[in-house]
Amino acid sequence: MNSSEEIAVSGMSAAGRSAMRMGPAELVQAAAMARRFYLEGKSKIQIAEEFGVSRFKVARVLETALERDLVRIEIRVPAELDAERSDALRARYGLRHAVVVESPAEAAETPDPENLGEVAADLLGELVTEGDVLGLAWGRSTIHMAAALDRLAPCTVVQLTGVYDAGTAERGSVEAVRRAAQVSGGDAHPIYAPMLLPDAATAEALRHQTGIARAFEYFDKVTVACVSIGSWEPGISTVHDMLTDEEREHYASLGVAAEMSAHLFDSDGRRVGRDLGERCITVKTDQLRRVPEVVAIAGGQRKGPAIDAVLRSGLVTSLVTDTSAADYLMAAGPAPRSALNRSDPDGP
């Protein structure tokens, strides 16, 4: 997911001779200065000393070289990345990072295409630095991300939620945590427990079990978190699928529009159904709000409203998504407050 800049330092073209009106000596000097600055990475002060001129003259020459097409700069990103949508989405929601991946037309409604995980893996490779604590929440997209990791600075990796199905732990969140720790060479702190329990008392008892309690101790130390977003509909929210029909109807009546790490949100980003969290093994929202970098991975047109709701909550700082979801988000009602305003929309 690396962008590259191609700098072409040209000579005097036939079309440029009349427009530039620079003599041969000026052209040669301008081309040499441009080469030093753009290709060799020398500073304007270094160039000024080499050519025996002021740094202000160097700045003027470089500016003129750009204006008169002596220097051409091309910005290139891999074909699967949509740089224009990425920048527009980042600006609209006030995100720290927004990366939009091209989604095939036939897969526009498919939630969380697998290539999102691959791009998110590259993004984490950029964001995680040595000594960080990386938190991974349950989600198909985070599992795909972990599988695609091939570089990660030495860090501690902790699981932020229980698993969807304890019987598939080795193939889900637990394996994602182990995989990330293996790539980074750091310690892993998985959670061998279901995400949703029958009642609050059972959940509280599990939180005090040794292995789970040890993972929970790291929640306040997390510096980078990776989360998934679910819509409130079958097959797109694991929490929705774990509840009874009566429970689903109850939370739907509260206006739930999205789910993230077993926390429910309405369309304005406010939390609803807080009692559900008491039955879940998961990081608290106030702990997520204190994490410096929270990366959400979610895409597909069907997830558009859910992504918008979670972004409005102030819990997420960066997003990896696809073009179909991005197009929905760019037209999703009034522009929200900046996502980097981490205050709770529910108030204190």
Side-chain angles (χ1 to χ4, degrees):
M1 194 188 64
N2 297 321
S3 63
S4 61
E5 297 185 1
E6 180 179 288
I7 313 298
V9 180
S10 64
M12 184 170 57
S13 66
R17 275 195 290 266
S18 60
M20 288 171 28
R21 296 181 181 176
M22 297 175 72
E26 291 177 305
L27 275 172
V28 170
Q29 185 183 70
M33 288 183 177
R35 184 174 296 280
R36 303 288 194 280
F37 186 73
Y38 290 108
L39 298 183
E40 298 176 12
K42 291 188 176 182
S43 69
K44 293 174 184 176
I45 294 176
Q46 291 174 313
I47 297 170
E49 291 175 350
E50 178 182 348
F51 287 89
V53 298
S54 71
R55 61 186 176 89
F56 300 105
K57 179 173 181 179
V58 173
R60 287 197 299 272
V61 170
L62 293 175
E63 183 178 352
T64 300
L66 283 172
E67 290 175 348
R68 299 186 178 182
D69 202 31
L70 184 64
V71 172
R72 297 189 303 276
I73 300 176
E74 297 179 7
I75 309 298
R76 294 180 178 178
V77 296
E80 69 270 17
L81 299 184
D82 191 312
E84 184 175 350
R85 282 185 174 93
S86 297
D87 188 55
L89 195 61
R90 179 201 56 76
R92 173 174 168 80
Y93 284 89
L95 294 161
R96 186 170 290 119
H97 304 284
V99 182
V100 178
V101 181
E102 289 285 351
S103 53
E106 64 272 14
E109 294 188 5
T110 301
D112 302 337
E114 289 192 22
N115 61 340
L116 294 185
E118 297 170 2
V119 173
D122 282 346
L123 179 60
L124 283 189
E126 293 182 47
L127 298 180
V128 175
T129 59
E130 185 171 354
D132 275 339
V133 176
L134 172 63
L136 301 181
W138 159 263
R140 297 180 186 90
S141 56
T142 53
I143 292 170
H144 292 152
M145 179 278 299
L149 281 172
D150 58 12
R151 66 183 176 103
L152 201 61
C155 65
T156 298
V157 186
V158 60
Q159 193 169 322
L160 296 179
T161 63
V163 299
Y164 172 46
D165 181 349
T168 63
E170 297 299 320
R171 302 190 300 275
S173 307
V174 170
E175 177 56 30
V177 169
R178 286 178 171 173
R179 167 65 182 167
Q182 179 184 31
V183 174
S184 75
D187 294 332
H189 296 277
I191 294 177
Y192 293 94
M195 183 190 297
L196 179 66
L197 282 303
D199 52 65
T202 304
E204 182 64 18
L206 275 178
R207 293 186 193 107
H208 287 89
Q209 287 191 359
T210 303
I212 298 173
R214 187 177 298 118
F216 269 56
E217 289 173 0
Y218 278 91
F219 286 3
D220 288 325
K221 303 174 185 177
V222 173
T223 51
V224 180
C226 190
V227 301
S228 296
I229 296 172
S231 301
W232 199 243
E233 56 180 301
I236 307 186
S237 165
T238 52
V239 172
H240 179 281
D241 292 345
M242 286 189 284
L243 296 174
T244 65
D245 290 340
E246 184 178 354
E247 289 171 329
R248 292 174 191 138
E249 292 176 7
H250 165 67
Y251 292 118
S253 72
L254 300 179
V256 60
E259 171 262 316
M260 182 184 71
S261 303
H263 300 294
L264 309 181
F265 304 87
D266 68 13
S267 59
D268 293 319
R270 294 186 295 260
R271 282 189 65 201
V272 296
R274 291 170 183 259
D275 60 306
L276 181 65
E278 298 174 2
R279 296 170 48 194
C280 294
I281 303 296
T282 185
V283 63
K284 296 179 180 178
T285 54
D286 60 345
Q287 290 173 312
L288 273 179
R289 204 175 297 280
R290 292 193 294 268
V291 175
E293 184 74 77
V294 179
V295 180
I297 312 170
Q301 188 174 4
R302 291 172 63 188
K303 275 199 176 182
I307 299 170
D308 177 64
V310 172
L311 291 182
R312 292 174 185 270
S313 74
L315 292 171
V316 170
T317 60
S318 298
L319 174 68
V320 177
T321 190
D322 64 354
T323 52
S324 59
D327 288 344
Y328 174 90
L329 293 169
M330 291 304 298
R337 62 177 186 162
S338 170
L340 299 183
N341 174 3
R342 307 299 295 281
S343 62
D344 191 337
D346 292 333

